[in-house]
Amino acid sequence: QLQLVEYGGGLVHPGGRLRLSCEASGFTLDYYDIGWFRQAPGKEREGVICVSSGGASINYSESVKGRFTISRDAKNTVFLHMSRMKPEDTGVYYCAANYNPSPDRCTILPHYYGHWGRGTQVIVSS
C-alpha cells in the first residue's frame, strides 16, 4: 500500500531552522514528483515547494524562496529544509506524491497530487 509519512515537526523560534522528512513506503519515489504543502488555521492548503521525479527541477512558492529547500535521498525519503523561519510559516505541513515519469517541471498546485501524508505540525513562535 502506498504511504507517505511526515516527521520532524515542532516548535521553532523566528529566524530558526527545521528539517522535515517525508518517508515513502509501498512504492518508489523515482517516478513521482514530491511536493510539500502547508495549511494554516482557517486558511486553505497552499503549495510550498516541490521536486521533480528526476530531481532536475524544483519549484517554489515566492513566500519561501531563498529560505526553504528540498532534497531527496536514495532511500525513498524527501526532506524539506526550512531556515530563517517566520511566524507565518506556522501550519500543518504535508508531503504529497504525483506520478510523473516525464522530466517536466513539478507543480505546487495541490490538486495535481493524489497521494498525501497525514501531516506534521510546525509552529514558529517566540
Side-chain angles (χ1 to χ4, degrees), residues 2 17 26 28 31 38 40 46 49 54-55 61 69 74 79-80 85 102-103 107 113 117 126:
L2 192 153
R17 57 179 58 198
T28 176
Y31 299 108
R38 66 187 180 192
E46 64 170 343
I49 194 169
S61 164
T69 62
F79 302 96
L80 173 61
M85 296 186 72
S102 74
T107 177
Y113 290 79
S126 54

Side-chain angles (χ1 to χ4, degrees), residues 87-109:
E88 51 263 44
D89 294 324
T90 294
V92 179
Y93 281 69
Y94 302 88
C95 67
N98 172 40
Y99 181 71
N100 180 24
S102 74
D104 293 345
R105 185 178 177 85
C106 60
T107 177
I108 55 172
L109 295 175

Side-chain angles (χ1 to χ4, degrees), residues 70-99:
I70 189 171
S71 64
R72 51 199 308 169
D73 71 1
K75 297 182 179 179
N76 239 24
T77 301
V78 175
F79 302 96
L80 173 61
H81 308 268
M82 303 182 287
S83 62
R84 291 187 285 143
M85 296 186 72
K86 305 175 181 181
E88 51 263 44
D89 294 324
T90 294
V92 179
Y93 281 69
Y94 302 88
C95 67
N98 172 40
Y99 181 71

Side-chain angles (χ1 to χ4, degrees), residues 2-126:
L2 192 153
Q3 188 174 12
L4 296 168
V5 181
E6 302 92 342
Y7 297 96
L11 174 65
V12 61
H13 294 307
R17 57 179 58 198
L18 198 65
R19 187 183 77 167
L20 304 182
S21 303
C22 173
E23 295 184 6
S25 61
F27 70 110
T28 176
L29 292 178
D30 291 351
Y31 299 108
Y32 287 80
D33 296 342
I34 300 297
W36 282 95
F37 302 82
R38 66 187 180 192
Q39 188 164 17
K43 295 188 176 181
E44 292 187 355
R45 190 170 299 186
E46 64 170 343
V48 175
I49 194 169
C50 64
V51 59
S52 62
S53 57
S57 76
I58 294 173
N59 197 8
Y60 297 86
S61 164
E62 284 300 317
S63 64
V64 305
K65 199 167 186 178
R67 302 188 299 119
F68 290 13
T69 62
I70 189 171
S71 64
R72 51 199 308 169
D73 71 1
K75 297 182 179 179
N76 239 24
T77 301
V78 175
F79 302 96
L80 173 61
H81 308 268
M82 303 182 287
S83 62
R84 291 187 285 143
M85 296 186 72
K86 305 175 181 181
E88 51 263 44
D89 294 324
T90 294
V92 179
Y93 281 69
Y94 302 88
C95 67
N98 172 40
Y99 181 71
N100 180 24
S102 74
D104 293 345
R105 185 178 177 85
C106 60
T107 177
I108 55 172
L109 295 175
H111 65 265
Y112 279 93
Y113 290 79
H115 307 285
W116 291 82
R118 293 189 174 183
T120 184
Q121 177 75 54
V122 172
I123 299 173
V124 184
S125 175
S126 54

